[in-house]
Amino acid sequence: MDEVGLSTRGTTGNLVSSSTVHNLVQAHQIQNLYLNTAAQPRTVPRQVPGPTPVFTDRGPTLAAVDLAVTTARDAGQVAVVGFHGPPGVGKRTVARHWLHAHAADHPDGAFHADLGAGPADPGLVAGKLREFLLEVGYTAEGLPGTADGLAARFRSWSAGRRIAIVLENVWSAAQIRPFLPAPGGSTVLFTSPGRINGLFGERAALLEVPLLDPAFAGELLAGLIGAERVAAEPAAVRDLIDLCDGLPMAMWVLAATTNARPSRPLSRLLDDLHDTERRRRVLGAADPGTEHDVSVFADAFRRLGPTARACCRALHLHPGPAGATVPALAAGLGLPADQVRDALDEIRDLHLAEETERDGTQRYRLHQLIGWHLPDGPGDADGPGDQVVLRRMLAYYTDNAVRAGHAMMPLRGWDVLLFPARTPSTALTSLTSEQARAWLEAERSTLRACVESLHRQGDSEDVCLLAVMLWPLHEQGKHLADQIAVNQLALEAADRLGDPALVALIRTQLGFPHLHLGQPEQAEPLFEQALTPARASGRPELEATVLEALGLARLALGKTTDAREVLRENLSRALDLGQERRVALARLHLARAETPQAAVPLLGEALSAFEALDPPDGHNAAKTRIHLGRALTGLGSYDEAAGTLNRALTALTALLALRRPFDCVLALEALGDLGLARNDPRAAVTAYQDALAVARAGDLLPEVERLTARLASAGRHDGLDDPSAEPNP
């Protein structure tokens, strides 16, 4: 026997004597004898699973581990390195790859423990330490019965040895400390969803494992399913990478499914992932304990408190890709904002959601794969049910969109006429037009998603309401794709409601984006079809609106005579209604179909009317000046035209022109046309270049195409090679 330890517990009065003759011990009057045999030589422990066969984009993280380990060893300390990040980001993969590359630095063994059970298993740490000691040759009978005793024994054994320990799914610093070996060149690596603080004395290096860069995500997918399959379906690959959200585990899960059916196209997998039931089958095929073990998501969710779990579900339910704000989540959960912020901090600490900032507002977005693996429904302690939370968030966005839309265009009036019960209260009059626009712009993608969600739920009235109240945002910002998508859904909803006024208005709204896209042939039939329900509604103001739209479409089609006739009828209806703003708009639009001689007095009257409104309509006044400048150009009054157009441009700049790029483009383009009329191609080129720059910045594609052609023509007159090219910085 190599070692004998004798101990008395308490005051027993035992007299202990011993002598050793080779392997024999003699003793007299002994109680509580513990024989602690030293570890017997065995195979060197290599418990840590091997690295994955495909590994990419972790060079900076591995370099940071190298630096942390070198620094600790130079100081004579155990190197302690922690990896934190979202579930599925590859923390344990990084740890295992580093250890595999540095196996020679740890000749005396590598140990592995999964501590994911956490507080639910109070004997977990002691059990793992016991396993370690048995692995190195201790017998079960000779081991201490407490975690502290086992930790001390492990430290004693590790003295003078160089070993590595990998601890995965750690909950706290208290779980780590018992595993720390004695100094001497050893390394401890641990993984956790959130930062594990409290290891200050151990000088632990805490490294966040970042999401995969999309380029490396493609490289990983090619390594998992084959470069040929990736190259064969590039569009599907891009969509799959977007869905994976930078999480390598998601790539492994999808690769496992794809490799199981090598003849099935990736586009089919995408369809499965977008269908709730089929998605469950795809994601449920992952293997526990592998790189595609999705149980890590449930484990992370389990670490949250009840309010944070409810907030996590609300993030998953939140419509749209832009992320949720605290007020939206508070509305959905029915909780105070401060309580929601605390819950979001808890979620962020575990890297379950991303936090971004836009225009001074924090937004939170749950990683998609994590959302897909949330439990089916909340428990009683986890807040209200999913449908209740979603309805509350949709109501929050709808109500605020009504208020903001009304603030942007208080004189438009369709909310009051068609939805009198939803008209904003006088308590909201402090919301300015610019504040309303800023909120609508920030929530634009979310509001479109709200319309889609309401449409799926069959809430036809709110779909139509949002389409009407988002008109100022879509029309002034020229968000034409959103405008078409929202109004197409609203037209279906209006047909279901059977309200001719709504059908007429929504059809008219749907026609305008086609008009702006240079598709008057698609806009004209929509306006023509809107006339019948407009007349059936018994609302003359609605019929006048449809006539105005129809006249503009025919003007764009080159049907000038027909357009003039319809727009004159529109002006007559507007005069009958006696609404000053409507009359001014009718004169503005009719002027576009008239000769310059007839247009100038019409535009002069419209301009005076817009400026006399309370408050003045500066936006339409500036638009009127643009058309007045064009008419004056046609009459040869070039100096007066230049002054009028420059005044319009100044007014648009004062009205935050960057948010109204379309009108700025029109003003600059009119100045370019004036330059050509004056036989000054260089001035024309300068104006067209300015207009093109604004159009490009505002993603106004039809205007970009038109101005590029104008510039090419003007440049030939001016001797320029490529006037449409962007200037060098």
Side-chain angles (χ1 to χ4, degrees), residues 7 78 131 146 162 189 412 464 493 511:
S7 171
V78 174
E131 291 176 12
T146 66
R162 289 185 293 157
L189 308 176
R412 188 169 185 240
C464 292

Side-chain angles (χ1 to χ4, degrees), residues 82-151:
F83 304 93
H84 61 100
V89 80
K91 300 179 291 293
R92 72 180 181 185
T93 302
V94 173
R96 293 175 184 181
H97 269 268
W98 185 90
L99 183 57
H100 176 73
H102 294 80
D105 296 337
H106 307 92
D108 299 310
F111 299 86
H112 175 264
D114 188 334
L115 305 180
D121 186 356
L124 179 62
V125 170
K128 292 297 181 182
L129 284 167
R130 182 178 295 275
E131 291 176 12
F132 287 5
L133 290 165
L134 292 173
E135 177 78 9
V136 299
Y138 284 94
T139 62
E141 295 78 9
L143 291 177
T146 66
D148 288 345
L150 291 165

